[in-house]
Every structure is written in structure tokens, then in C-alpha cells.
Amino acid sequence: MRTANEACPEGSDVSRKRTPNRVTDISRATSEPSLSGVRLAVMAAAAGIGIANLYYNQPLLEEITAGLKTSDAVTGLIPTLTQIGYAFGMLFLVPLGDMFERRRLTMLFTFLSACMAFGTALSASISMLLPFSFLLGLVNMGPQLLVPFAAEIAVPEKKGRVVGVILSGIFLGVLLSRTVAGFIGASFGWRAMFVLSGVVQLALLIALQQTLPKSTASFEGTYSGLLKSVWVLLREQPVLRETCLFGATLFAAFMVFWSSLIHLMVQPPFNLGPRAVGLYAVLGAGAAILSPVVGRAADRGNARNVAGAMIVLTIASFVVFWLGRTSILWIGVGVLAMDLGVQLCHVSNQGRILKLAAGAQSRIQTAYMASYFGGGGAGAAVGAWAWSHSGWAGVCISAIFILTIALIGWLAPQNR
């Protein structure tokens, strides 16, 4: 069921009044008002390649621990700091997409991501690696500029589908990043993965320069006013607040699992390594395939119901993780269910929020994604803590507790 805010068509008087400092809609300011198939494919690929930077470290934690002669507790901070850095970037950098020309901004952050990947690879100690992990997350903003960029260019009746396609690229990047990192790390060492990442990011600059259209900013004002308008949108848009809750809690549970899985895999009865973690990640590819379908559901106004179903599915996945904790097969079933739940809920959330206020998509994306990756950073920390104190049982219980918060929010009468 749609809320009152979702029922308001984009560009209506209500939407305009609730969009701070609205100047012009970028879809009218760009030289081309719609997305070609080639452009959409390149943007989806770029988003996927960019987002992968955040996840290469997860299957490599054991190798980093051994290589830098540190402890599991300390290396557990690596994915935590990467996610926290990404949350800070979402909060303080992505709003610039409404204030400056998006094409140049996307290319700038892609270049900086390459630099931070090289810095990560060259880190000689954990004291160097931890700051670079944070900075890699902080500047890796290209993917989150591309999502609202594509939504602004798309015709209104296809925004959900277009967002679904971009998110398909992002999901494949998230999933395949662990697979690639697992195999490259096992074959050539963890540093090789980040060298390759830097090289690919530099090559990506060429494709972005030739493909992305130029844009005109939709916000005029100061940087402080830009950031303040994010909070105004969050206060005035109940749909945005609800999706922030759903996104933060589901991604927290997701990170609780992935930040702990390698520790389970290296123990009996599995006695496996980073390759196993990478192969499990491939199971989530089904979420990427279904993303455009869920995007169409968002176009028809059914996104909230999809979100509720995905919350329940994700809770069920952690029950499977606990009951099947000694089985490679049942862990795989749980991974498939969890990835479908988390990623498709994310698609439904994005389909809802990117229709709320024309000309403010980057700031809406900021509010949602800062919550999303803030939840991810917290989840990675909870996963490391739960594993060190209570093992796999602590990991599963912690995730279910977090997901219950989302379910209560979805069932709350005032939200329905």
C-alpha cells in the first residue's frame, strides 16, 4: 500500500514545496532527455565496478592478518572502516551531485578511488592499511552519483526499471567482488587485488568520459545550505525515513554475515579459505537478475509490500544459517535467500525514494545511502564482536535481532 507521499506524482505542487532550493530538474537540463540502451549499460557497469572496491577486503581478511602479522580483531576493523568511510562520503560528498556538474564529479571520485586502491596495496603495516581502508570508502562515490543521475534522465514512467538496471550492476559488483578477490588473493596475494582495482578504475575513466552526458546543477546556495536541505527532506518525507530504517537494518545484517563467514569457513568441518567465500557470493546473482522486475513493481506502487516480504525472507535466511551451520549446501541456501532479501528490498527502497522530490535526487540518495552504509559499518563491527564472543550462534542471533527492528517498523500501524 502506498503512503500519502508516494501517491503524490513527481513534480506535483506538494513535491515542489517540499524540495528545498529547487531550481531546475536535471532531466530537462541535460542535452539528452532519456537514456539509450548503451548509456544505461555503461552506467550500470561503471556502478558495479565502482562498488566492488568496498568488498574486496572481506574474503582477504585471513591473508591480511597473516601478511601483516596482526590479529583477527584488528583486521576486522578493515571492512568496518571501509563502510564507515562510505557512509561519511554519502553524507558529505554525494549531495554535491545536486550542486555541481555530475559528469565531472563522477570522474573525479573514480580517479580518487583508484589512488586509494593503490595506497591500500602499498600499505606496509596495519596502521597504514586502516586509514587507506577508510579513505577508499570515503571517495568511492561514483556508484551513488550514477543512480540518481540515471533516475533523473529517465522518463518518469520508467524510473523504477532504470534504477533496477543500475542496481543490477551494483549487485553484480558486490557479489562478484568477493569471488574475484577470493581467487586473486589465493593465487597472487591480497595486494594484487587492490593493484588490479586501481588499474580498472583508471580504465573506467575513459568509458565515463565518452559516455556520460553533461548536466546542469539543480541547487544554488552554500554547501552548508545543501547539507541542511538533506535533513529537511528527511524530516518532511516519511517514506524516506521508513526506507532508511529498512535499508540500514537489512544491510547491517548482511555485513554481520559477510564479515564473519571467512572465520567459519577456515574451521572444521569446512577447512576452506577465501575461494569458498568468493564462490558463495556468486549465489546472490539471482538478486541482480530480478532487480529490474522489482523496479517495475516500484513503478506500479507495490514496492512497500515487496520490502516487507524481503525482510521476512532475510530473517528466515539466518535461521537456515544456524540450523545448517555444518553443511556447505545449507549455508549456500541461506546465502541465496539472504542476498535476495537484502538486495531486492534495496531495489524497492530506491524505487520509492527517487520519485519523491524532483531536483533533489542526490540529497535523497544521500539520506538513504548514508543510513544504509552506516548500518553496514555497524553490522561489520557487530559481526566481528559477535564472532569473537559467541561464535556462529552470536552472529546469527545478532542479525535476527537487527532484522526484527525492520519487521516491527514495517508492521507498525502508522507506517502501513
Side-chain angles (χ1 to χ4, degrees):
M1 180 180 296
R2 289 183 295 176
T3 64
N5 273 46
E6 287 176 296
C8 295
E10 182 183 2
S12 66
D13 291 339
V14 173
S15 175
R16 291 170 187 269
K17 288 177 182 177
R18 292 185 177 183
T19 307
N21 297 288
R22 187 180 188 277
V23 176
T24 185
D25 185 343
I26 198 172
S27 62
R28 293 192 299 271
T30 49
S31 58
E32 297 182 31
S34 61
L35 281 172
S36 66
V38 172
R39 175 169 290 163
L40 181 58
V42 170
M43 294 176 79
I49 291 170
I51 205 72
N53 285 313
L54 304 178
Y55 302 96
Y56 291 137
N57 53 38
Q58 291 178 8
L60 302 175
L61 294 179
E62 290 289 327
E63 292 191 3
I64 293 173
T65 299
L68 297 182
K69 297 179 174 59
T70 184
S71 66
D72 288 342
V74 175
T75 52
L77 294 173
I78 294 172
T80 300
L81 288 172
T82 302
Q83 298 298 324
I84 291 174
Y86 200 65
F88 270 87
M90 287 298 311
L91 185 60
F92 295 107
L93 299 179
V94 169
L96 296 174
D98 288 337
M99 193 174 185
F100 295 106
E101 204 276 309
R102 272 203 186 105
R103 178 174 175 270
R104 290 185 179 180
L105 208 58
T106 303
M107 294 176 63
L108 171 63
F109 286 133
T110 301
F111 174 74
L112 293 176
S113 296
C115 293
M116 294 307 107
F118 287 131
T120 299
L122 295 173
S123 295
S125 65
I126 193 66
S127 60
M128 291 179 61
L129 182 57
L130 291 177
F132 272 115
S133 297
F134 174 82
L135 291 172
L136 180 60
L138 180 69
V139 302
N140 196 48
M141 295 297 106
Q144 298 309 325
L145 289 171
L146 288 169
V147 174
F149 199 174
E152 289 276 16
I153 299 172
V155 294
E157 62 271 18
K158 293 185 178 180
K159 285 184 184 292
R161 187 189 69 83
V162 166
V163 169
V165 171
I166 299 294
L167 292 179
S168 290
I170 289 178
F171 295 159
L172 287 174
V174 171
L175 298 169
L176 296 180
S177 62
R178 297 185 182 91
T179 305
V180 172
F183 277 84
I184 289 182
S187 301
F188 303 104
W190 67 269
R191 297 181 190 276
M193 184 64 254
F194 291 99
V195 171
L196 177 62
S197 171
V199 172
V200 171
Q201 292 291 303
L202 292 179
L204 182 61
L205 281 173
I206 300 173
L208 292 174
Q209 183 179 25
Q210 296 179 348
T211 305
L212 292 182
K214 292 185 177 180
S215 67
T216 301
S218 59
F219 178 89
E220 290 183 354
T222 64
Y223 178 64
S224 62
L226 181 74
L227 295 183
K228 185 182 295 184
S229 68
V230 174
W231 299 105
V232 172
L233 285 164
L234 190 60
R235 185 179 67 247
E236 293 188 350
Q237 299 284 358
V239 171
L240 180 57
R241 293 196 301 272
E242 182 180 68
T243 55
C244 285
L245 172 66
F246 294 167
T249 50
L250 267 74
F251 196 53
F254 184 84
M255 291 299 295
V256 166
F257 174 82
W258 283 112
S259 63
S260 307
L261 180 61
I262 184 62
H263 304 307
L264 180 70
M265 289 291 102
V266 298
Q267 293 187 343
F270 300 109
N271 298 314
L272 299 172
R275 283 192 180 96
V277 176
L279 288 174
Y280 272 131
V282 177
L283 294 174
I289 296 171
L290 293 175
S291 293
V293 177
V294 176
R296 292 188 184 97
D299 288 331
R300 295 192 297 267
N302 297 321
R304 191 177 189 276
N305 293 333
V306 172
M310 295 305 103
I311 292 170
V312 173
L313 179 61
T314 309
I315 292 174
S317 73
F318 280 91
V319 175
V320 173
F321 288 140
W322 170 246
L323 295 178
R325 59 192 177 277
T326 61
S327 167
I328 289 179
L329 175 61
W330 282 109
I331 293 291
V333 171
V335 169
L336 178 59
M338 181 191 67
D339 279 351
L340 285 172
V342 173
Q343 308 294 12
L344 296 185
C345 183
H346 181 53
V347 175
S348 72
N349 288 340
Q350 294 265 259
R352 295 173 75 191
I353 64 173
L354 290 175
K355 296 180 179 181
L356 292 178
Q361 269 74 14
S362 286
R363 284 164 284 166
I364 287 174
Q365 186 78 347
T366 289
Y368 173 71
M369 292 305 299
S371 301
Y372 191 80
F373 281 92
V382 169
W385 177 87
W387 175 263
S388 63
H389 285 79
S390 303
W392 194 242
V395 169
C396 296
I397 292 171
S398 298
I400 290 173
F401 176 80
I402 292 169
L403 292 166
T404 302
I405 298 172
L407 183 60
I408 292 172
W410 187 80
L411 293 172
Q414 64 269 25
N415 292 337
R416 294 180 64 83

